[in-house]
């Protein structure tokens, strides 16, 4: 059965920031509830179990909490988290030295930005995750999962990496 994955709602205060696994920004409750209703409707249409898996970061987990209030099982798994940008996480992009960003772009697959996580690690954890059918995760995780599913061993460079899906967008993987 395919996995249905949604990107979390737009987090509050994220504009211009590097937002990864260490930056746990909240989402407005209405946005979380709206996405939870869309997931609930999709599950009803496809007769899927009322079980959702989310990243533990509040921008994803809040959607799961709404579903739990409505009788769903909600599981959290750190393997669904966004890429860890290390010391960049939560900083404005404009304050991150260009030389550091250039070093990451030059070795996009194996460089760990600011002591964080290399993309190769995110690709591995996204491609091997097998727990549930309905998932709320992050743009980077979704792109990594999709990349490995569609391109497999054709590993990415920075120029090939796609733009993240819009907030609240759903994907069938």
């Amino acid at each position: 059965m395919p996995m249905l994955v949604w990107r979390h709602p737009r987090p509050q205060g994220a504009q211009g920031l590097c937002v990864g696994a260490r930056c746990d920004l909240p989402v407005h409750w209405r946005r979380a509830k709206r996405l939870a209703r869309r997931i609930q409707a999709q599950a009803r249409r496809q007769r899927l179990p009322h079980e959702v898996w989310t990243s533990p970061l509040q921008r994803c987990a809040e959607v799961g909490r709404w579903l739990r209030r409505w009788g769903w099982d909600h599981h959290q798994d750190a393997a669904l988290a966004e890429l860890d940008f290390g010391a960049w996480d939560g900083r404005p992009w404009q304050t991150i030295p260009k030389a550091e960003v250039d070093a990451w772009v030059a070795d996009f697959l194996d460089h760990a930005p600011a002591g964080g996580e290399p993309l190769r690690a995110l690709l591995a954890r996204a491609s091997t995750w097998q727990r549930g059918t309905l998932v709320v995760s992050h743009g980077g995780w979704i792109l990594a999962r999709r990349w490995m599913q569609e391109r497999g061993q054709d590993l990415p460079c920075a120029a090939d990496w796609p733009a993240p899906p819009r907030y609240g967008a759903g994907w069938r993987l």
Side-chain angles (χ1 to χ4, degrees):
M1 175 172 271
M3 182 186 315
L4 302 175
V5 183
W6 286 265
R7 185 179 185 197
H8 59 78
R10 179 183 307 279
Q12 295 176 332
Q15 187 68 26
L17 298 182
C18 175
V19 178
R22 297 181 191 192
C23 189
D24 196 9
L25 296 175
V27 295
H28 192 280
W29 68 269
R30 282 190 184 114
R31 287 183 174 154
K33 185 177 182 181
R34 189 176 310 128
L35 181 55
R37 286 284 186 212
R38 288 185 25 230
I39 293 169
Q40 186 179 44
Q42 184 84 4
R44 186 174 32 252
R45 279 192 301 274
Q46 295 189 23
R47 296 189 171 118
L48 298 171
H50 290 178
E51 178 181 51
V52 66
W53 288 82
T54 72
S55 159
L57 297 172
Q58 49 182 331
R59 53 195 186 265
C60 295
E62 188 58 29
V63 176
R65 286 186 200 99
W66 276 104
L67 290 164
R68 187 177 62 227
R69 287 179 190 120
W70 303 328
W72 284 51
D73 291 329
H74 173 213
H75 311 281
Q76 295 181 29
D77 189 338
L80 293 169
E82 181 60 277
L83 182 74
D84 181 350
F85 286 103
W88 293 358
D89 227 323
R91 290 178 52 193
W93 278 106
Q94 66 186 16
T95 68
I96 299 170
K98 184 180 180 318
E100 290 183 29
V101 175
D102 289 346
W104 180 39
V105 168
D107 188 13
F108 190 59
L109 194 58
D110 291 309
H111 183 78
E117 173 183 33
L119 180 61
R120 186 182 300 272
L122 176 61
L123 290 166
R125 83 178 145 82
S127 67
T128 59
W129 194 86
Q130 297 290 330
R131 296 204 174 169
T133 303
L134 300 169
V135 175
V136 180
S137 190
H138 305 271
W141 190 93
I142 294 167
L143 291 175
R145 177 72 180 218
R146 188 169 173 219
W147 184 279
M148 294 305 287
Q149 183 176 319
E150 293 176 0
R151 300 195 186 193
Q153 298 306 312
D154 178 22
L155 297 175
C157 66
D160 296 333
W161 197 246
R166 66 179 169 73
Y167 292 109
W171 295 75
R172 181 178 301 274
L173 300 174

